[in-house]
Amino acid sequence: MTLAETPNYKNSSNPFLSLNYESALESLGDDYYDEVGAEEFPQHLLRWRNDALLPRLGLDPQVVKDEDFIIAFGKFQGRKPLLALRYHGYQFGEYNRQLGDGRGFLYGQVRATDGELYDFGTKGTGRTPYSRGGDGMLTLKGGVREVLAAEALHHLGVRTSRCLSMIETGLPLWRGDEPSPTRSSVMIRMSSSHIRFGTFERLHYFQRPDLTKKLLDHVIEQYYQHLSSEEDKYVLFYAELVKRVAELVAQWMAAGFCHAVLNTDNMSITGESFDYGPYAFIPTYNPSFIAAYFDYYGRYCYGNQPSICHLNLQMLQEPLKAIIDKGEMEAALERFDEYYEAEYSSLMLKKLGFEDLPYPETVGLLNLTIEFLKESQVGYHQFFYEMARTFSSKWRDEPGFVMNSSDIVPVPGASIIFDNWCILYHKILNDFDCNRTNVIAQTLAVHNPKTVLLRPVIESIWEAIAQEDNWQPFYELIQAIQSSK
């Protein structure tokens, strides 16, 4: 990857500017957005290009140049209109109408090779009508963190937006009480949709059921096409959104991920995870773990994520009730826990090496696993990685052999919970044919990578960048994440 300032460049040869952009959202009219411009930056250093996404856009990574990224996604030449979306939202339980795209915009919408419509959204491109006195910029560290989060979650099986590019802009930013300015960046996020729960909440606030219906029809037409011809498409849409969100939060919980700011303006109408600010992966199993320093009362702590997402879906019923019967929405929402438990159990079983187990064994094994992780406070991710690393066919011989070569678990007799866990795991192994041992080992390896984005890992990556402008650890970490090592 060449990380250099781009000289003069001929726009017509840029593959990003030659994509077939669609005006799906733009066609709704300016009740939903404002046209804006992009900041002009003093410098453009391409720090990250996600070549893994290019084939989905029909582009060959070997043909796309660094300069193409910079012209399209750093200098923002050749694309209009750029749309800052309007939305409101409940932030820490309080309704806030002073929201909207305050440091980014919708760059464009593209139909990918899978037939789905994707949005290119910017972050760090300067002031908009919704910046609320802010500068509309993104720190370089914030860009680095989001690139890492999106790639890590994607490779952990979480439905997430991803970063297409990140460019350092050379603009010094002053943040908080820092004695000197920090570096800045601009990022392109590729997501399934730019529309949020808060987009509908804003329309409800202004008492515009006509605009709500128009937007809902658009959402179903573009993102729930299989429902578009159904007579009861509106309630079916809400029911499917409930399922998508329940499964998404189950994916976070199994991955040990704490989003940190689950305001309704950070909830996608397609049930996709996006906008990673002060997120964190839990070091140990602690339902009270708080990722954001400003979450003083732990509203968005790790263990609260399912109930908060349920609440956000419940609050979405207010704007949607102008179109959808509220009783039918409430009935659909009652299935949230069912969807959540099914997805969470399935994902946790895979982390334990199994694709499927009978219900009693599933409940027993998961309960004992969580009880042990909570009691021992061994590393959450380390425990599952050690299972993968030390797994052996000898575990079938007797319970005492289960994880006996790992030094992170207690010796026999030191923990009744762990001893019972070993007994049950040994029993389950022997319920399978011995030929399944290799399959269990592979399942453990696939779902429990060694590389985890714990805070010290991220800080060490940033320290190399901040102090030495050394990006090699950053690229090596991404390579390890993408190869699931």
Side-chain angles (χ1 to χ4, degrees), residues 394-399 402 421-431:
K394 292 183 178 180
W395 291 13
R396 293 169 54 89
D397 295 343
E398 61 177 87
V402 177
W421 181 87
C422 290
I423 291 170
L424 180 56
Y425 200 90
H426 167 263
K427 175 187 177 301
I428 292 171
L429 287 180
N430 281 280
D431 288 340

Side-chain angles (χ1 to χ4, degrees), residues 153 157-159 241-260 262 267 271-273 300-313 336-337 339-341 343-345 347-348 380:
L153 290 173
V158 176
R159 190 164 186 260
L241 178 61
V242 168
K243 186 173 188 291
R244 291 188 187 188
V245 172
E247 290 175 347
L248 173 64
V249 70
Q251 292 164 11
W252 290 341
M253 297 299 286
F257 178 77
C258 186
H259 184 286
L262 288 177
M267 300 287 293
E272 180 183 65
S273 183
Y300 298 142
C301 68
Y302 170 72
N304 280 357
Q305 293 183 123
S307 62
I308 286 295
C309 287
H310 182 282
L311 176 62
N312 288 345
L313 284 163
F336 180 93
D337 290 346
Y339 296 137
Y340 171 80
E341 291 296 340
E343 181 76 357
Y344 181 72
S345 296
L347 294 172
M348 292 299 289
Y380 177 82

Side-chain angles (χ1 to χ4, degrees), residues 122-419:
T122 71
K123 192 171 183 178
T125 39
R127 292 183 179 89
T128 77
Y130 311 105
S131 297
R132 293 180 294 163
D135 56 24
M137 300 301 173
L138 173 67
T139 65
L140 183 60
K141 185 176 184 180
V144 166
R145 282 175 49 84
E146 179 143 351
V147 168
L148 292 173
E151 288 306 294
L153 290 173
H154 172 72
H155 289 279
L156 287 171
V158 176
R159 190 164 186 260
T160 177
S161 63
R162 296 174 73 184
C163 299
L164 181 59
S165 67
M166 181 184 66
I167 293 170
E168 185 171 358
T169 60
L171 195 68
L173 300 179
W174 295 88
R175 289 291 185 268
D177 298 326
E178 293 293 326
S180 58
T182 187
R183 294 153 71 176
S184 59
S185 66
V186 62
M187 188 187 70
I188 300 296
R189 180 190 293 140
M190 183 172 166
S191 63
S192 63
S193 177
H194 211 67
I195 300 171
R196 308 153 189 255
F197 286 20
T199 315
F200 286 91
E201 288 167 337
R202 174 184 170 274
L203 300 176
H204 177 67
Y205 177 86
F206 287 113
Q207 300 182 13
R208 294 298 304 269
D210 56 325
L211 295 180
T212 300
K213 184 178 184 301
K214 185 177 180 180
L215 182 63
L216 186 54
D217 285 337
H218 166 81
V219 166
I220 293 173
E221 179 185 354
Q222 295 296 337
Y223 308 112
Y224 296 79
Q225 294 176 353
H226 57 290
L227 303 177
S228 59
S229 61
E230 298 290 337
E231 185 177 348
D232 50 354
K233 64 180 180 180
Y234 296 122
V235 70
L236 289 175
F237 149 76
Y238 182 77
E240 184 165 327
L241 178 61
V242 168
K243 186 173 188 291
R244 291 188 187 188
V245 172
E247 290 175 347
L248 173 64
V249 70
Q251 292 164 11
W252 290 341
M253 297 299 286
F257 178 77
C258 186
H259 184 286
V261 192
L262 288 177
N263 299 325
T264 58
D265 56 293
N266 288 335
M267 300 287 293
S268 168
I269 204 66
T270 61
E272 180 183 65
S273 183
F274 75 108
D275 203 9
Y276 304 117
Y279 73 87
F281 285 84
I282 58 172
T284 62
Y285 186 84
N286 175 13
S288 299
F289 175 85
I290 298 171
Y293 71 90
F294 48 81
D295 188 4
Y296 303 113
Y297 302 105
R299 179 183 180 87
Y300 298 142
C301 68
Y302 170 72
N304 280 357
Q305 293 183 123
S307 62
I308 286 295
C309 287
H310 182 282
L311 176 62
N312 288 345
L313 284 163
Q314 186 176 28
M315 290 192 295
L316 182 61
Q317 293 177 10
E318 265 313 290
L320 294 183
K321 71 180 182 181
I323 316 299
I324 312 172
D325 180 77
K326 197 167 193 303
E328 290 185 303
M329 287 193 287
E330 289 172 348
L333 187 55
E334 287 179 359
R335 299 195 66 183
F336 180 93
D337 290 346
E338 172 193 340
Y339 296 137
Y340 171 80
E341 291 296 340
E343 181 76 357
Y344 181 72
S345 296
S346 174
L347 294 172
M348 292 299 289
L349 280 182
K350 289 182 175 66
K351 292 181 72 64
L352 290 162
F354 306 110
E355 291 292 334
D356 192 25
L357 288 178
Y359 180 76
E361 282 82 356
T362 296
V363 173
L365 186 61
L366 293 189
N367 285 345
L368 283 172
T369 301
I370 297 301
E371 286 176 20
F372 171 68
L373 290 171
K374 187 184 296 185
E375 172 199 65
S376 66
Q377 289 297 288
V378 300
Y380 177 82
H381 309 276
Q382 186 182 13
F383 173 77
F384 294 106
Y385 172 71
E386 283 292 292
M387 282 193 70
R389 186 185 69 83
T390 64
F391 181 78
S392 168
S393 59
K394 292 183 178 180
W395 291 13
R396 293 169 54 89
D397 295 343
E398 61 177 87
F401 287 162
V402 177
M403 290 192 76
N404 69 339
S405 60
S406 173
D407 57 7
I408 72 164
V409 296
V411 298
S415 168
I416 295 175
I417 294 174
F418 184 71
D419 290 347

Side-chain angles (χ1 to χ4, degrees), residues 439-476:
V439 174
I440 294 170
Q442 290 171 4
T443 303
L444 284 167
V446 167
H447 293 281
N448 300 299
K450 180 179 182 180
T451 303
V452 181
L453 284 185
L454 296 178
R455 277 177 168 161
V457 174
I458 299 174
E459 289 302 319
S460 68
I461 296 299
W462 175 246
E463 185 176 358
I465 294 170
Q467 295 188 3
E468 305 170 14
D469 201 31
N470 180 6
W471 288 82
Q472 193 58 34
F474 171 75
Y475 298 127
E476 290 175 355

